């Protein structure tokens, strides 16, 4: 009997220590803490006492930010998810994931920022991640039934089968910039992305649509993919209309026998390749750079002409 009780105690301690390791070692908390829970209309906010001030911000603002993101994302259902706040980071960050379930993790340590700037940054980052959660969760009625019955939060046809992370992230980053401008918060990400695209075009390293769909691990790597995807989304909305882009996004929430290129052609009547070339041409170059490129092209033509003349004289 004593041996049996000891075995039960050992199993309990093993399971408990494993659970603690999963929680503390999963990148959220560096060590176990007592957590507090506050529920709003759409969120369950979990936080330790060290993050009470950040938690107060989300308690007061999260639902309003959610409603604004939902209005822009064309998502017709409601989401609810936990927000887990951790002080165990030197960087301010907000991230959404749907694996194994929908949740948002907030790392709120940013002592180098004054409180006003920190809260503005939190608001902007939170809007981006909520927008990404909503935009990724667009599903047709059939797919919504699958999601509710067997698929769970991980079943997101749009990002799972048709559009890559870079495209979803780029769209979310563009929405974040638009939101920041609406709130009169100064953001530099849009100009940074534009500079990346201009530099890539100047150096003849502008990615095609397939390269932009695949995140690369060379500088500027991910940022260039996000810049291209965000810029392409903006170009489509400006040149073809916001309603058409919403139609394309909703189509990607359905099940198709074709991939992204086929869905794009169905909605826009043109291939991604051809419209991507239009987008590339729309990226402006500095006026002096255009003159330099024209002179360089002319010099190459003259060199080639002289070389041909030399070959003829030799013959």
């Amino acid at each position: 009997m004593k041996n049996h009780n000891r075995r039960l105690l050992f199993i309990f301690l093993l399971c408990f220590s494993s659970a603690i390791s999963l929680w503390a070692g999963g990148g959220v908390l560096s060590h176990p803490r007592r957590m507090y829970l506050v529920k709003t209309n759409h969120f369950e906010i979990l936080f330790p006492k060290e993050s009470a001030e950040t938690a107060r911000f989300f308690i007061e603002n999260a639902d309003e930010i959610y409603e604004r993101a939902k209005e822009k994302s064309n998502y017709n259902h409601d989401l609810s998810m936990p927000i887990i706040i951790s002080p165990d980071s030197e960087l301010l960050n907000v991230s959404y994931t749907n694996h194994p379930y929908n949740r948002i993790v907030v790392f709120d340590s940013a002592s180098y920022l004054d409180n006003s700037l920190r809260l503005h940054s939190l608001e902007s980052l939170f809007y981006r991640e909520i927008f990404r959660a909503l935009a990724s969760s667009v599903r047709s009625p059939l797919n919504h039934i699958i999601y509710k019955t067997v698929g769970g939060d991980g079943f997101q046809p749009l990002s799972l089968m048709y559009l890559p992370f870079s495209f979803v992230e780029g769209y979310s980053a563009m929405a974040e910039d638009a939101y920041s401008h609406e709130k009169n918060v100064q953001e530099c990400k849009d100009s940074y992305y534009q500079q990346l695209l201009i530099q890539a075009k100047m150096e003849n390293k502008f990615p095609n649509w397939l390269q932009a769909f695949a995140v690369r691990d060379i500088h500027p790597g991910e940022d260039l993919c996000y810049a291209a995807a965000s810029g392409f989304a903006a170009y489509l909305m400006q040149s073809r209309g916001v309603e058409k882009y919403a139609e394309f996004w909703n189509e990607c929430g359905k099940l198709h026998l074709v991939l992204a290129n086929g869905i794009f052609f169905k909605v826009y009547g043109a291939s991604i390749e051809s419209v991507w070339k239009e987008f590339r041409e729309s990226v402006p170059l500095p006026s002096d750079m255009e003159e330099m490129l024209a002179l360089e092209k002319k010099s190459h033509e003259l060199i080639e002409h002289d070389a041909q003349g030399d070959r003829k004289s030799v013959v």
Side-chain angles (χ1 to χ4, degrees):
M1 186 67 177
K2 289 183 178 180
N3 289 336
H4 177 71
N5 290 337
R6 286 175 181 173
R7 282 197 296 269
L8 287 177
L9 178 61
F10 175 76
I11 293 171
F12 171 78
L13 291 174
L14 179 62
C15 293
F16 178 77
S17 62
S18 298
I20 291 297
S21 297
L22 285 171
W23 176 254
V28 178
L29 298 175
S30 63
H31 60 274
R33 283 186 171 92
R34 174 174 292 180
M35 302 292 284
Y36 300 88
L37 172 65
V38 176
K39 294 185 179 181
T40 68
N41 291 336
H42 300 288
F43 303 101
E44 295 179 344
I45 302 169
L46 290 156
F47 61 96
K49 64 179 181 180
E50 296 92 334
S51 299
E53 183 179 354
T54 301
R56 187 181 302 112
F57 167 80
F58 286 108
I59 293 167
E60 295 173 353
N61 298 283
D63 284 339
E64 180 185 351
I65 296 171
Y66 168 90
E67 294 296 341
R68 296 188 66 165
K70 181 183 176 183
E71 181 183 354
K72 298 292 185 181
S73 67
N74 297 305
Y75 185 67
N76 297 322
H77 302 277
D78 271 324
L79 291 180
S80 59
M81 67 185 77
I83 298 174
I84 305 169
I85 305 175
S86 169
D88 297 331
S89 173
E90 295 180 357
L91 297 175
L92 179 68
N93 189 40
V94 181
S95 62
Y96 158 76
T97 182
N98 66 323
H99 298 292
Y101 58 89
N102 282 336
R103 66 189 184 280
I104 288 178
V105 176
V106 178
F107 291 108
D108 73 335
S109 291
S111 57
Y112 58 90
L113 295 175
D114 67 64
N115 193 54
S116 176
L117 181 57
R118 187 177 71 87
L119 292 180
H120 281 313
S121 298
L122 268 178
E123 180 178 357
S124 179
L125 292 170
F126 182 67
Y127 179 89
R128 180 196 67 194
E129 294 306 297
I130 283 296
F131 185 91
R132 184 155 71 91
L134 291 164
S136 300
S137 299
V138 169
R139 304 178 182 91
S140 66
L142 173 60
N143 284 336
H144 191 73
I145 293 173
I146 296 173
Y147 151 69
K148 282 291 188 180
T149 54
V150 295
D153 293 335
F155 181 65
Q156 294 180 343
L158 185 147
S159 56
L160 189 65
M161 294 181 282
Y162 302 120
L163 295 178
F165 179 78
S166 62
F167 208 91
V168 177
E169 180 68 12
Y171 186 26
S172 304
M174 186 187 69
E176 178 192 359
D177 285 331
Y179 178 78
S180 297
H181 290 311
E182 287 180 11
K183 300 287 287 186
N184 294 319
V185 177
Q186 185 65 36
E187 293 286 337
C188 61
K189 186 177 296 180
D190 51 351
S191 59
Y192 168 64
Y193 279 179
Q194 186 178 31
Q195 288 301 317
L196 281 180
L197 294 176
I198 291 173
Q199 182 178 349
K201 186 174 179 179
M202 286 167 48
E203 297 176 353
N204 200 27
K205 295 179 180 179
F206 199 93
N208 60 41
W209 74 274
L210 286 172
Q211 290 170 329
F213 269 38
V215 175
R216 299 179 294 173
D217 59 359
I218 56 174
H219 182 77
E222 293 183 2
D223 284 354
L224 180 57
C225 292
Y226 300 155
S230 177
F232 187 57
Y235 177 78
L236 284 174
M237 283 186 267
Q238 291 167 3
S239 63
R240 267 75 172 176
V242 175
E243 294 80 7
K244 206 69 175 173
Y245 191 80
E247 180 185 346
F248 169 64
W249 204 262
N250 287 329
E251 282 294 324
C252 289
K254 302 176 182 179
L255 293 179
H256 293 273
L257 296 177
V258 295
L259 298 178
N261 201 6
I263 299 173
F264 189 93
F265 188 86
K266 176 183 177 180
V267 174
Y268 287 103
S271 66
I272 291 183
E273 291 93 336
S274 62
V275 181
W276 190 271
K277 289 179 182 177
E278 294 177 20
F279 161 58
R280 183 187 184 281
E281 292 303 314
S282 73
V283 175
L285 288 177
S287 57
D288 55 342
M289 179 57 62
E290 291 179 352
E291 294 174 6
M292 289 174 58
L293 291 175
L295 289 172
E296 184 179 355
K297 181 179 179 181
K298 185 67 175 177
S299 65
H300 284 311
E301 290 174 351
L302 290 173
I303 292 171
E304 180 64 24
H305 182 270
D306 291 343
Q308 291 177 356
D310 291 342
R311 284 195 292 269
K312 287 180 180 179
S313 62
V314 171
V315 174

